[in-house]
Amino acid sequence: MSALLQMDNAGMKRGIVIKDDWPGYSLDLFTYPEHYHDDIESVYIPHGVIMNRTERLAHYIMDDFRDDNIMVLCVLKGGYKFCADLVEFIKILGRNSNKYLETRVEFIRLKSYLNDQSTEDLHIIGCRDLSFLRGKSVLIVEAIVDTGKTMKALLKHVETFEPKMVKVAGLLVKRLPNMAESLTDYVGFEIPNRFVVGYALDYNEYFRDLNHICVLSRTGKMKYKI
Ligand code: HPA
Ligand code: MG
């Protein structure tokens, strides 16, 4: 069976599960910036699918936060698009259901990747003082959770400021052999352990301007390697 996007029974926790053998869609089927023509191999998750899944996550979040205002903590840089779209959907749903939650968005910047490899060091390079989280219901918004090391370190840091509650929204979660109990409460897609770019995810700062989530080609990997 070659179903692309297969909903698992645990759909909410694991998200939409993309199988190991999913090659992505041929580039001819979509539009994308011409300058990346040789640099990407396939469209792994089209932008429209990302958007609709994000809307669904906004529903789950509205149900869980109920009457609490949401202190959104966006993890830069990769999380900026997902965060902007998610918050927009939360606002639209609020308007349409008379359950308008106030959302405040703050930003934190982390860096742990060089080329397509995770490095040992996690750097929090923006906003270390998160005392504005005290007593708040916090939603951490991250584009991708892979080893979980970054998220674990961030959660530990956030907890020291004694928020009322902390939930994590991750657009992508990588399926790894020794996957720990998921740290992510709202998962967009569970994907195989491969390097993807686009929708604000980068390879050495390139490809953030691609709307779809795509797989790099060998040419792309070489061209932007540092
Ligand atoms: N792509 C881009 N950035 C990342 C990834 C990825 O697959 N995993 C962790 N950071
Ligand atoms: Mg990066």
Side-chain angles (χ1 to χ4, degrees):
M1 185 175 60
S2 64
L4 148 66
L5 304 167
Q6 195 186 25
M7 199 61 180
D8 194 82
N9 285 337
M12 178 164 161
K13 195 67 190 167
R14 285 180 72 189
I16 294 174
V17 177
I18 298 184
K19 301 276 178 128
D20 286 343
D21 61 357
W22 169 238
Y25 294 99
S26 161
L27 293 180
D28 314 338
L29 302 172
F30 294 90
T31 57
Y32 58 91
E34 190 50 40
H35 57 272
Y36 288 140
H37 179 73
D38 297 325
D39 308 333
I40 46 182
E41 201 170 280
S42 64
V43 173
Y44 207 57
I45 311 175
H47 183 248
V49 178
I50 298 169
M51 293 301 280
N52 201 265
R53 180 62 186 156
T54 301
E55 186 176 359
R56 194 72 184 83
L57 296 184
H59 277 274
Y60 294 141
I61 291 164
M62 293 287 280
D63 287 346
D64 287 354
F65 281 70
R66 295 169 193 277
D67 303 320
D68 275 342
N69 290 330
I70 309 179
M71 176 65 80
V72 175
L73 191 61
C74 170
V75 182
L76 295 174
K77 295 178 184 174
Y80 90 89
K81 263 182 188 290
F82 177 47
C83 183
D85 289 331
L86 185 63
V87 169
E88 202 52 40
F89 279 124
I90 289 171
K91 281 175 11 191
I92 293 168
L93 288 176
R95 273 205 299 275
N96 293 342
S97 66
N98 281 332
K99 215 182 101 176
Y100 199 91
L101 303 184
E102 187 186 323
T103 45
R104 179 173 152 189
V105 185
E106 294 287 346
F107 300 88
I108 189 165
R109 183 149 176 227
L110 308 175
K111 191 167 177 20
S112 63
Y113 259 70
L114 182 68
N115 293 319
D116 57 355
Q117 298 300 314
S118 177
T119 63
E120 274 304 303
D121 332 320
L122 164 74
H123 302 287
I124 299 183
I125 25 191
C127 199
R128 291 190 61 84
D129 178 15
L130 304 177
S131 47
F132 53 83
L133 298 181
R134 191 170 316 280
K136 297 287 197 305
S137 294
V138 179
L139 179 68
I140 298 178
V141 179
E142 167 69 288
I144 191 159
V145 179
D146 60 3
T147 62
K149 265 192 309 197
T150 307
M151 189 48 70
K152 247 185 218 146
L154 178 58
L155 277 169
K156 208 167 136 200
H157 184 63
V158 164
E159 293 287 358
T160 63
F161 298 97
E162 301 180 340
K164 176 175 164 192
M165 143 175 126
V166 183
K167 299 270 189 189
V168 178
L171 178 63
L172 306 177
V173 170
K174 283 194 188 171
R175 191 164 49 247
L176 296 172
N178 302 315
M179 237 171 137
E181 167 67 15
S182 174
L183 302 164
T184 315
D185 301 286
Y186 311 103
V187 180
F189 304 85
E190 182 190 286
I191 64 168
N193 185 18
R194 55 190 307 185
F195 196 79
V196 291
V197 293
Y199 194 67
L201 284 168
D202 76 308
Y203 174 74
N204 295 331
E205 300 303 326
Y206 289 90
F207 301 101
R208 293 196 201 274
D209 57 336
L210 188 59
N211 273 350
H212 313 292
I213 289 175
C214 295
V215 177
L216 274 178
S217 67
R218 197 190 283 265
T219 311
K221 244 183 208 185
M222 294 306 292
K223 193 155 138 193
Y224 302 108
K225 204 178 181 85
I226 51 177

